Amino acid sequence: MAETTETMEDRLSRIHRAMGEERLDAVDAVIADLEPAEIALLLESLPPAARVRLWQRVPAEVDGEVLLHVHDEVRGTLLEDMDHEEIVAAAAALDTTDLAEIFEDLPQQVAEDMLRSMDALQRTRLEETLAFNEDSAGRLMRLDTIAVRADVSLETVARFLRWKESVPDNTHQLMVVDRDARFVGVLPIARLVSHDPEMAVADLMDREVDSIRVDMKSRDVATLFQTHDLVSAPVVDEFGLLLGRIVIDDIVDVIREDSEQALMNMAGLDEEEDLFAPIFSSAKRRAVWLGINLVTAFLAAWVIGRFEDALDKIVALAVLMPIVASMGGIAGSQTLTLAIRGMALGQISRTNSSWLLRKEVGIAALNGVVWSLVVAVLAVVWFGNVAIGAIIAGALVINMLAAGIAGIVIPLLLKRAGIDPALSGSVVLTTVTDVVGFMAFLGMATFFLL
C-alpha cells in the first residue's frame, strides 16, 4: 500500500513524469501500491491518450474491480481498448452483485459468452439481480449471506462455519431464519464464540433488527444505514423471505454517487460525465442547459425592454438594476439549496412544507428590510435622490420575498412533476428572481418617477 500522506496530485505527477520519461517500471510501481478504487480515480484523472497507456499497465487480475469503480463513460472508453478475452476474464473475476453493476455496459457478444460460461446457479443469480430496478436494494444486496436456523445450537453453527472454511467479507453477524426461510433475527459472531456451545441460537439472537425490503430505493437504504448506524442489514421480499444482505461498503458508494450527482446536477451536468471527454461531446451536453438559460435570459431582457423609456431618462436605474436581481438570486439560492438537501434526506413532506415556507418568508422579510435600508442609504448618497433610494429598497424587499417563496415552492413543484429539482431548480429560480426583481424595480420607477 502507498503511504497515506501521498495525495492524488502527487500520484498524478509521478505518473506523468514516469510516462514522459518512458519509465514504465516507475508507472508499474505506482499502480502496485494502489487499491482498485484508487487506480480507477487515477484513470479518471488522465486525458484519453495517457489513460489508455496507464490502463494497459494495470494488472489483469484487478481489471474487473477497476472497471467497477470508474464512471460509466470512462468504463466505456476502457472497454473499447480491451479485446474479447480480456473483458470476459475481467468480468468473470467479479461476484454476482458487482457483475450486475457493469453487465449492461459489456459488449453484447461478451455478455452472451459470460452467460454461457456460467453454471446454472450463477446465471440464475445474475438474472435475478438484473431483474431488480437499478436504483433499488435488490441491486445493492449481496447473495453471499450465511443463514442459520434459530433452533440449532451454537456448536452446530460453529461446525458449519468450520466446514465452509471461510466466511464472506464484512460478516460480523449471521442471519437467522425459520423453517420457511423467513428472516427472524441475527446472531452476532461475537456471541457465537463467547457463549456455551450447547446454547441455542434462539437464546442469543437479536430479534429487533431492521430489515430492508428488496424494492426499497437505494437512497432510502443509505439513509437507514446513516440514521441507525448499521454495518450490514438483511434484505427480504414482501413475504419476509431472506434474499441477501447489504453491507456498509456498498452504502458508502451510494452516498458518494448521490453527492456527486447533486453537485453536477446543480450545474446541469451528468454525474457520469468524463472530465477529459472529447471537446465536441462535452460541449454538446452543456449546450442544452446553456440554451435553456438563454431562453430565460431573453425573458428577463424582454421585461427590461418594457421599461426602455425609464432607463433612457434615469441612468441611475441601469446602474442599480443588477443589485436587485443579484440580491434576490443569492437569497433564493440559499433557500433552494436547503430545500433540495432537505428533500434528499427525506426531511420535507406535505406535512411540514407550509411551516417551512412561512419560516423562509419570515427570513426573507427580515433580511429584505435590513439590506434594503443599507442599499437605500448608499443609493441616496451615490445619486442624491431619495426617491430612487426608496424605490430600490421596496424592490429589494419584494424580490427577496419572491426568492424565499420560490426557493421552497419550485423544488416541491418540480419533484411533483417528476423532475429532479437539483437539475433544473436553479434555472427556474434565476428566471423568477430576475423577472420579479426587474419588474418591481423598473415598474415602481416608471410609476413614481415618470
Side-chain angles (χ1 to χ4, degrees), residues 267-289:
L269 299 174
D270 184 350
E271 75 273 15
E272 297 293 350
E273 181 168 359
D274 181 3
L275 183 63
F276 295 97
I279 293 175
F280 179 75
S281 60
S282 294
K284 184 170 63 175
R285 275 202 190 97
R286 302 185 195 186
V288 174
W289 285 99

PDB file of all heavy atoms in Angstrom, residues 267-289:
ATOM      1  N   ALA A 267     -25.233  22.203 -11.704  1.00  0.00           N
ATOM      2  CA  ALA A 267     -24.689  22.905 -12.875  1.00  0.00           C
ATOM      3  C   ALA A 267     -25.293  22.386 -14.174  1.00  0.00           C
ATOM      4  O   ALA A 267     -24.841  22.741 -15.258  1.00  0.00           O
ATOM      5  CB  ALA A 267     -23.171  22.753 -12.921  1.00  0.00           C
ATOM      6  N   GLY A 268     -26.318  21.511 -14.069  1.00  0.00           N
ATOM      7  CA  GLY A 268     -26.954  20.974 -15.259  1.00  0.00           C
ATOM      8  C   GLY A 268     -26.113  19.949 -15.975  1.00  0.00           C
ATOM      9  O   GLY A 268     -26.235  19.787 -17.193  1.00  0.00           O
ATOM     10  N   LEU A 269     -25.250  19.226 -15.244  1.00  0.00           N
ATOM     11  CA  LEU A 269     -24.368  18.248 -15.859  1.00  0.00           C
ATOM     12  C   LEU A 269     -24.712  16.847 -15.385  1.00  0.00           C
ATOM     13  O   LEU A 269     -25.332  16.650 -14.342  1.00  0.00           O
ATOM     14  CB  LEU A 269     -22.909  18.568 -15.525  1.00  0.00           C
ATOM     15  CG  LEU A 269     -22.381  19.919 -15.995  1.00  0.00           C
ATOM     16  CD1 LEU A 269     -20.967  20.141 -15.462  1.00  0.00           C
ATOM     17  CD2 LEU A 269     -22.392  20.004 -17.510  1.00  0.00           C
ATOM     18  N   ASP A 270     -24.263  15.859 -16.153  1.00  0.00           N
ATOM     19  CA  ASP A 270     -24.444  14.456 -15.805  1.00  0.00           C
ATOM     20  C   ASP A 270     -23.311  14.037 -14.888  1.00  0.00           C
ATOM     21  O   ASP A 270     -22.137  14.301 -15.174  1.00  0.00           O
ATOM     22  CB  ASP A 270     -24.425  13.630 -17.101  1.00  0.00           C
ATOM     23  CG  ASP A 270     -24.692  12.156 -16.876  1.00  0.00           C
ATOM     24  OD1 ASP A 270     -24.703  11.735 -15.695  1.00  0.00           O
ATOM     25  OD2 ASP A 270     -24.880  11.442 -17.867  1.00  0.00           O
ATOM     26  N   GLU A 271     -23.649  13.332 -13.786  1.00  0.00           N
ATOM     27  CA  GLU A 271     -22.595  12.932 -12.848  1.00  0.00           C
ATOM     28  C   GLU A 271     -21.624  11.929 -13.456  1.00  0.00           C
ATOM     29  O   GLU A 271     -20.536  11.716 -12.938  1.00  0.00           O
ATOM     30  CB  GLU A 271     -23.218  12.339 -11.571  1.00  0.00           C
ATOM     31  CG  GLU A 271     -23.786  10.944 -11.699  1.00  0.00           C
ATOM     32  CD  GLU A 271     -25.227  10.947 -12.175  1.00  0.00           C
ATOM     33  OE1 GLU A 271     -25.697  11.994 -12.670  1.00  0.00           O
ATOM     34  OE2 GLU A 271     -25.884   9.908 -12.072  1.00  0.00           O
ATOM     35  N   GLU A 272     -22.021  11.288 -14.569  1.00  0.00           N
ATOM     36  CA  GLU A 272     -21.139  10.325 -15.204  1.00  0.00           C
ATOM     37  C   GLU A 272     -20.237  10.968 -16.252  1.00  0.00           C
ATOM     38  O   GLU A 272     -19.485  10.284 -16.935  1.00  0.00           O
ATOM     39  CB  GLU A 272     -21.980   9.210 -15.875  1.00  0.00           C
ATOM     40  CG  GLU A 272     -22.808   8.383 -14.895  1.00  0.00           C
ATOM     41  CD  GLU A 272     -21.957   7.548 -13.965  1.00  0.00           C
ATOM     42  OE1 GLU A 272     -20.733   7.449 -14.180  1.00  0.00           O
ATOM     43  OE2 GLU A 272     -22.517   6.992 -12.999  1.00  0.00           O
ATOM     44  N   GLU A 273     -20.322  12.281 -16.419  1.00  0.00           N
ATOM     45  CA  GLU A 273     -19.527  12.939 -17.461  1.00  0.00           C
ATOM     46  C   GLU A 273     -18.042  12.782 -17.185  1.00  0.00           C
ATOM     47  O   GLU A 273     -17.563  12.989 -16.071  1.00  0.00           O
ATOM     48  CB  GLU A 273     -19.881  14.426 -17.560  1.00  0.00           C
ATOM     49  CG  GLU A 273     -19.073  15.115 -18.647  1.00  0.00           C
ATOM     50  CD  GLU A 273     -19.614  16.498 -18.970  1.00  0.00           C
ATOM     51  OE1 GLU A 273     -20.604  16.901 -18.374  1.00  0.00           O
ATOM     52  OE2 GLU A 273     -19.006  17.153 -19.829  1.00  0.00           O
ATOM     53  N   ASP A 274     -17.329  12.436 -18.225  1.00  0.00           N
ATOM     54  CA  ASP A 274     -15.889  12.254 -18.152  1.00  0.00           C
ATOM     55  C   ASP A 274     -15.219  13.631 -18.191  1.00  0.00           C
ATOM     56  O   ASP A 274     -15.434  14.415 -19.113  1.00  0.00           O
ATOM     57  CB  ASP A 274     -15.434  11.399 -19.340  1.00  0.00           C
ATOM     58  CG  ASP A 274     -13.936  11.136 -19.348  1.00  0.00           C
ATOM     59  OD1 ASP A 274     -13.249  11.563 -18.395  1.00  0.00           O
ATOM     60  OD2 ASP A 274     -13.461  10.507 -20.311  1.00  0.00           O
ATOM     61  N   LEU A 275     -14.419  13.925 -17.161  1.00  0.00           N
ATOM     62  CA  LEU A 275     -13.744  15.216 -17.079  1.00  0.00           C
ATOM     63  C   LEU A 275     -12.867  15.469 -18.291  1.00  0.00           C
ATOM     64  O   LEU A 275     -12.687  16.608 -18.722  1.00  0.00           O
ATOM     65  CB  LEU A 275     -12.897  15.262 -15.794  1.00  0.00           C
ATOM     66  CG  LEU A 275     -12.158  16.560 -15.481  1.00  0.00           C
ATOM     67  CD1 LEU A 275     -13.169  17.690 -15.265  1.00  0.00           C
ATOM     68  CD2 LEU A 275     -11.285  16.382 -14.249  1.00  0.00           C
ATOM     69  N   PHE A 276     -12.320  14.394 -18.890  1.00  0.00           N
ATOM     70  CA  PHE A 276     -11.413  14.530 -20.029  1.00  0.00           C
ATOM     71  C   PHE A 276     -12.035  13.994 -21.318  1.00  0.00           C
ATOM     72  O   PHE A 276     -11.341  13.523 -22.210  1.00  0.00           O
ATOM     73  CB  PHE A 276     -10.099  13.802 -19.739  1.00  0.00           C
ATOM     74  CG  PHE A 276      -9.331  14.410 -18.597  1.00  0.00           C
ATOM     75  CD1 PHE A 276      -9.415  13.886 -17.316  1.00  0.00           C
ATOM     76  CD2 PHE A 276      -8.535  15.520 -18.794  1.00  0.00           C
ATOM     77  CE1 PHE A 276      -8.716  14.439 -16.263  1.00  0.00           C
ATOM     78  CE2 PHE A 276      -7.837  16.096 -17.743  1.00  0.00           C
ATOM     79  CZ  PHE A 276      -7.923  15.556 -16.467  1.00  0.00           C
ATOM     80  N   ALA A 277     -13.367  14.068 -21.390  1.00  0.00           N
ATOM     81  CA  ALA A 277     -14.058  13.625 -22.607  1.00  0.00           C
ATOM     82  C   ALA A 277     -13.708  14.554 -23.769  1.00  0.00           C
ATOM     83  O   ALA A 277     -13.281  15.699 -23.553  1.00  0.00           O
ATOM     84  CB  ALA A 277     -15.562  13.620 -22.378  1.00  0.00           C
ATOM     85  N   PRO A 278     -13.898  14.105 -25.021  1.00  0.00           N
ATOM     86  CA  PRO A 278     -13.622  14.965 -26.176  1.00  0.00           C
ATOM     87  C   PRO A 278     -14.415  16.261 -26.117  1.00  0.00           C
ATOM     88  O   PRO A 278     -15.505  16.326 -25.548  1.00  0.00           O
ATOM     89  CB  PRO A 278     -14.069  14.095 -27.367  1.00  0.00           C
ATOM     90  CG  PRO A 278     -13.919  12.694 -26.869  1.00  0.00           C
ATOM     91  CD  PRO A 278     -14.268  12.741 -25.418  1.00  0.00           C
ATOM     92  N   ILE A 279     -13.848  17.313 -26.729  1.00  0.00           N
ATOM     93  CA  ILE A 279     -14.442  18.643 -26.671  1.00  0.00           C
ATOM     94  C   ILE A 279     -15.868  18.645 -27.218  1.00  0.00           C
ATOM     95  O   ILE A 279     -16.784  19.207 -26.602  1.00  0.00           O
ATOM     96  CB  ILE A 279     -13.573  19.644 -27.457  1.00  0.00           C
ATOM     97  CG1 ILE A 279     -12.230  19.834 -26.748  1.00  0.00           C
ATOM     98  CG2 ILE A 279     -14.302  20.980 -27.614  1.00  0.00           C
ATOM     99  CD1 ILE A 279     -11.254  20.704 -27.511  1.00  0.00           C
ATOM    100  N   PHE A 280     -16.093  17.980 -28.355  1.00  0.00           N
ATOM    101  CA  PHE A 280     -17.407  18.046 -29.004  1.00  0.00           C
ATOM    102  C   PHE A 280     -18.498  17.437 -28.134  1.00  0.00           C
ATOM    103  O   PHE A 280     -19.566  18.026 -27.953  1.00  0.00           O
ATOM    104  CB  PHE A 280     -17.363  17.334 -30.363  1.00  0.00           C
ATOM    105  CG  PHE A 280     -18.678  17.339 -31.084  1.00  0.00           C
ATOM    106  CD1 PHE A 280     -19.139  18.497 -31.702  1.00  0.00           C
ATOM    107  CD2 PHE A 280     -19.475  16.200 -31.113  1.00  0.00           C
ATOM    108  CE1 PHE A 280     -20.362  18.515 -32.358  1.00  0.00           C
ATOM    109  CE2 PHE A 280     -20.700  16.216 -31.760  1.00  0.00           C
ATOM    110  CZ  PHE A 280     -21.145  17.372 -32.392  1.00  0.00           C
ATOM    111  N   SER A 281     -18.250  16.246 -27.577  1.00  0.00           N
ATOM    112  CA  SER A 281     -19.280  15.589 -26.778  1.00  0.00           C
ATOM    113  C   SER A 281     -19.578  16.369 -25.504  1.00  0.00           C
ATOM    114  O   SER A 281     -20.734  16.482 -25.076  1.00  0.00           O
ATOM    115  CB  SER A 281     -18.860  14.151 -26.438  1.00  0.00           C
ATOM    116  OG  SER A 281     -17.651  14.147 -25.690  1.00  0.00           O
ATOM    117  N   SER A 282     -18.541  16.930 -24.872  1.00  0.00           N
ATOM    118  CA  SER A 282     -18.757  17.724 -23.659  1.00  0.00           C
ATOM    119  C   SER A 282     -19.520  19.003 -23.989  1.00  0.00           C
ATOM    120  O   SER A 282     -20.428  19.410 -23.253  1.00  0.00           O
ATOM    121  CB  SER A 282     -17.415  18.080 -23.017  1.00  0.00           C
ATOM    122  OG  SER A 282     -16.757  16.929 -22.536  1.00  0.00           O
ATOM    123  N   ALA A 283     -19.148  19.650 -25.100  1.00  0.00           N
ATOM    124  CA  ALA A 283     -19.822  20.885 -25.488  1.00  0.00           C
ATOM    125  C   ALA A 283     -21.291  20.634 -25.806  1.00  0.00           C
ATOM    126  O   ALA A 283     -22.167  21.434 -25.467  1.00  0.00           O
ATOM    127  CB  ALA A 283     -19.120  21.499 -26.695  1.00  0.00           C
ATOM    128  N   LYS A 284     -21.570  19.492 -26.450  1.00  0.00           N
ATOM    129  CA  LYS A 284     -22.949  19.161 -26.813  1.00  0.00           C
ATOM    130  C   LYS A 284     -23.813  18.991 -25.564  1.00  0.00           C
ATOM    131  O   LYS A 284     -24.950  19.455 -25.518  1.00  0.00           O
ATOM    132  CB  LYS A 284     -22.965  17.884 -27.652  1.00  0.00           C
ATOM    133  CG  LYS A 284     -24.336  17.498 -28.170  1.00  0.00           C
ATOM    134  CD  LYS A 284     -24.242  16.372 -29.185  1.00  0.00           C
ATOM    135  CE  LYS A 284     -23.692  15.106 -28.553  1.00  0.00           C
ATOM    136  NZ  LYS A 284     -23.698  13.956 -29.494  1.00  0.00           N
ATOM    137  N   ARG A 285     -23.266  18.336 -24.546  1.00  0.00           N
ATOM    138  CA  ARG A 285     -24.013  18.144 -23.298  1.00  0.00           C
ATOM    139  C   ARG A 285     -24.345  19.483 -22.644  1.00  0.00           C
ATOM    140  O   ARG A 285     -25.463  19.729 -22.209  1.00  0.00           O
ATOM    141  CB  ARG A 285     -23.177  17.319 -22.316  1.00  0.00           C
ATOM    142  CG  ARG A 285     -23.298  15.820 -22.506  1.00  0.00           C
ATOM    143  CD  ARG A 285     -22.903  15.140 -21.198  1.00  0.00           C
ATOM    144  NE  ARG A 285     -22.772  13.715 -21.399  1.00  0.00           N
ATOM    145  CZ  ARG A 285     -21.631  13.098 -21.624  1.00  0.00           C
ATOM    146  NH1 ARG A 285     -20.519  13.798 -21.681  1.00  0.00           N
ATOM    147  NH2 ARG A 285     -21.578  11.795 -21.788  1.00  0.00           N
ATOM    148  N   ARG A 286     -23.342  20.332 -22.544  1.00  0.00           N
ATOM    149  CA  ARG A 286     -23.542  21.594 -21.835  1.00  0.00           C
ATOM    150  C   ARG A 286     -24.399  22.562 -22.631  1.00  0.00           C
ATOM    151  O   ARG A 286     -25.029  23.455 -22.068  1.00  0.00           O
ATOM    152  CB  ARG A 286     -22.186  22.225 -21.526  1.00  0.00           C
ATOM    153  CG  ARG A 286     -21.301  21.320 -20.695  1.00  0.00           C
ATOM    154  CD  ARG A 286     -20.013  21.989 -20.296  1.00  0.00           C
ATOM    155  NE  ARG A 286     -19.046  21.010 -19.806  1.00  0.00           N
ATOM    156  CZ  ARG A 286     -17.883  21.325 -19.276  1.00  0.00           C
ATOM    157  NH1 ARG A 286     -17.533  22.594 -19.180  1.00  0.00           N
ATOM    158  NH2 ARG A 286     -17.052  20.378 -18.859  1.00  0.00           N
ATOM    159  N   ALA A 287     -24.426  22.398 -23.956  1.00  0.00           N
ATOM    160  CA  ALA A 287     -25.181  23.308 -24.808  1.00  0.00           C
ATOM    161  C   ALA A 287     -26.668  23.283 -24.480  1.00  0.00           C
ATOM    162  O   ALA A 287     -27.355  24.309 -24.601  1.00  0.00           O
ATOM    163  CB  ALA A 287     -24.966  22.954 -26.274  1.00  0.00           C
ATOM    164  N   VAL A 288     -27.165  22.137 -24.047  1.00  0.00           N
ATOM    165  CA  VAL A 288     -28.598  22.023 -23.747  1.00  0.00           C
ATOM    166  C   VAL A 288     -28.996  23.010 -22.663  1.00  0.00           C
ATOM    167  O   VAL A 288     -29.943  23.796 -22.820  1.00  0.00           O
ATOM    168  CB  VAL A 288     -28.944  20.578 -23.310  1.00  0.00           C
ATOM    169  CG1 VAL A 288     -30.387  20.504 -22.862  1.00  0.00           C
ATOM    170  CG2 VAL A 288     -28.679  19.601 -24.449  1.00  0.00           C
ATOM    171  N   TRP A 289     -28.259  22.992 -21.563  1.00  0.00           N
ATOM    172  CA  TRP A 289     -28.626  23.871 -20.451  1.00  0.00           C
ATOM    173  C   TRP A 289     -28.240  25.325 -20.716  1.00  0.00           C
ATOM    174  O   TRP A 289     -28.895  26.242 -20.206  1.00  0.00           O
ATOM    175  CB  TRP A 289     -28.000  23.355 -19.156  1.00  0.00           C
ATOM    176  CG  TRP A 289     -28.750  22.158 -18.673  1.00  0.00           C
ATOM    177  CD1 TRP A 289     -28.419  20.850 -18.839  1.00  0.00           C
ATOM    178  CD2 TRP A 289     -30.017  22.158 -18.012  1.00  0.00           C
ATOM    179  NE1 TRP A 289     -29.382  20.033 -18.313  1.00  0.00           N
ATOM    180  CE2 TRP A 289     -30.371  20.805 -17.792  1.00  0.00           C
ATOM    181  CE3 TRP A 289     -30.867  23.157 -17.574  1.00  0.00           C
ATOM    182  CZ2 TRP A 289     -31.555  20.446 -17.167  1.00  0.00           C
ATOM    183  CZ3 TRP A 289     -32.050  22.807 -16.947  1.00  0.00           C
ATOM    184  CH2 TRP A 289     -32.372  21.461 -16.745  1.00  0.00           C
TER     185      TRP A 289
END
